[in-house]
């Protein structure tokens, strides 16, 4: 039991994703720009860009916004230049945290992240202090109430998924990053809207958190996720669903 699918689906149920649509669009626009800058503006020749465009469409981003972000990346339109960075940290109870950012000012961003972590009972760690605990995987969360296990398993395995895990109220679908777009499409072809779908850092082991440490961890994850420069934040916590819900209430 990872706790991650509970975290993803509870936030989804509470409408947190809709409330943060502005944040979601901002995150995707940055990713489109950086992907186009790194690999060109043709999605057929740029797998990373192709994947981000699929994310943008899944969030109902207007086509013109997508095109404009790509043009900024290729230099056809003026725009801010973003740098990618990944920071490692420890959260409450010793949970490992990985934070991916896109920023126009690394010094400002790292200072703000350090402040959020210290305020939330954590601290920044040195490079490779926790990254070795994670594997990069395609990660899709499907609520059990929306899916027939056999149909879902058949569809995702045929599309290239590595595993279908039981996490209480949810199914977790894992795949190699390159297979993720096809697996996500297979889920959608079943008429299922995933609670979460992204290329994610999946922990090899989990840290069980309860009580004050669990509540602090959930609040820290929320604070990091809300930061404008943070694209993704991952952790190896395992927290009971009722504790996550209580902390987000």
């Amino acid at each position: 039991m990872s706790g991650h699918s509970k975290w993803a689906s509870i936030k989804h149920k509470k409408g947190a994703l809709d409330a943060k649509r502005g944040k979601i669009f901002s995150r995707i626009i940055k990713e489109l720009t950086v992907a186009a800058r790194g690999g060109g503006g043709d999605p057929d020749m740029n797998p990373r860009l192709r994947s981000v465009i699929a994310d943008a469409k899944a969030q109902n981003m207007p086509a013109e916004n997508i095109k404009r972000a790509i043009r900024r990346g290729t230099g056809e339109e003026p725009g801010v230049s973003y740098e990618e960075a990944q920071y490692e940290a420890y959260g409450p109870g010793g949970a490992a945290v990985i934070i991916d950012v896109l920023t126009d000012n690394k010094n400002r961003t790292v200072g703000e992240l350090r402040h959020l972590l210290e305020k939330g009972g954590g601290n920044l760690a040195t490079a490779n202090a926790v990254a070795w605990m994670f594997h990069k995987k395609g990660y899709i969360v499907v609520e059990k109430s929306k899916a027939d296990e056999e149909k879902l398993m058949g569809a995702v395995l045929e599309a290239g998924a590595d595993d279908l895990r039981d996490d209480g109220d949810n199914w977790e679908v894992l795949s190699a990053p390159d297979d993720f777009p096809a697996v996500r499409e297979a889920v959608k072809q079943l008429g299922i809207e995933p609670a979460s779908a992204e290329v994610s850092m999946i922990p090899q082991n989990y840290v069980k958190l309860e009580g004050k440490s669990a509540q602090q961890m959930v609040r820290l994850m929320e604070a990091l996720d809300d930061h404008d420069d943070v694209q993704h934040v991952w952790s190896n916590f395992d927290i009971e669903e009722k504790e996550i819900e209580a902390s987000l209430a």
Side-chain angles (χ1 to χ4, degrees):
M1 296 294 179
S2 73
H4 286 278
S5 69
K6 302 185 195 82
W7 164 259
S9 64
I10 288 169
K11 287 212 305 176
H12 187 71
K13 285 177 194 170
K14 284 181 171 290
L17 294 179
D18 287 336
K20 292 179 183 174
R21 185 159 298 278
K23 159 74 174 174
I24 293 167
F25 278 14
S26 172
R27 173 181 63 77
I28 292 174
I29 285 168
K30 284 183 180 181
E31 289 190 355
L32 286 166
T33 300
V34 170
R37 187 181 71 197
D42 181 357
D44 290 335
M45 304 298 291
N46 185 341
R48 180 180 179 184
L49 180 61
R50 188 162 63 243
S51 180
V52 183
I53 289 172
D55 287 342
K57 290 179 176 176
Q59 294 294 340
N60 297 314
M61 180 179 282
E64 185 51 40
N65 292 35
I66 296 173
K67 291 174 185 173
R68 192 180 305 122
I70 293 171
R71 289 197 295 267
R72 284 179 187 152
T74 57
E76 297 168 73
E77 283 196 21
V80 178
S81 180
Y82 297 107
E83 287 186 272
E84 294 181 276
Q86 185 175 86
Y87 299 104
E88 300 174 43
Y90 292 104
V97 182
I98 292 182
I99 308 161
D100 279 355
V101 306
L102 284 175
T103 177
D104 60 352
N105 186 328
K106 279 187 179 180
N107 289 335
R108 182 200 69 229
T109 299
V110 75
E112 291 172 355
L113 292 180
R114 183 180 286 110
H115 174 72
L116 287 175
L117 285 158
E118 289 174 355
K119 185 179 176 184
N123 59 275
L124 272 179
T126 56
N128 297 317
V130 303
W132 61 271
M133 303 180 194
F134 295 79
H135 291 304
K136 197 170 193 177
K137 292 275 189 182
Y139 179 68
I140 299 171
V141 177
V142 175
E143 293 166 66
K144 284 187 177 177
S145 59
K146 295 184 177 179
D148 175 85
E149 180 183 2
E150 287 192 12
K151 286 183 181 177
L152 179 63
M153 181 178 286
V156 299
L157 292 180
E158 187 175 335
D162 297 331
D163 197 9
L164 179 72
R165 293 182 185 171
D166 185 335
D167 192 29
D169 292 334
N170 302 303
W171 298 115
E172 293 181 318
V173 183
L174 299 175
S175 66
D178 289 349
D179 293 324
F180 169 72
V183 176
R184 176 174 55 185
E185 185 59 30
V187 172
K188 293 197 171 185
Q189 287 297 319
L190 294 174
I192 298 167
E193 185 60 38
S196 180
E198 63 181 5
V199 175
S200 183
M201 299 297 285
I202 304 296
Q204 299 178 56
N205 298 292
Y206 296 89
V207 175
K208 181 77 174 176
L209 298 181
E210 297 176 308
K212 183 181 177 182
S213 292
Q215 292 163 17
Q216 277 187 308
M217 189 71 220
V218 173
R219 287 196 293 269
L220 176 59
M221 290 287 286
E222 280 268 283
L224 291 170
D225 195 47
D226 281 344
H227 191 284
D228 286 344
D229 295 337
V230 172
Q231 297 297 98
H232 304 282
V233 55
W234 296 285
S235 177
N236 66 344
F237 66 77
D238 181 11
I239 300 174
E240 289 297 325
E241 186 170 329
K242 63 180 184 294
E243 295 220 53
I244 297 176
E245 286 184 320
S247 300
L248 291 173

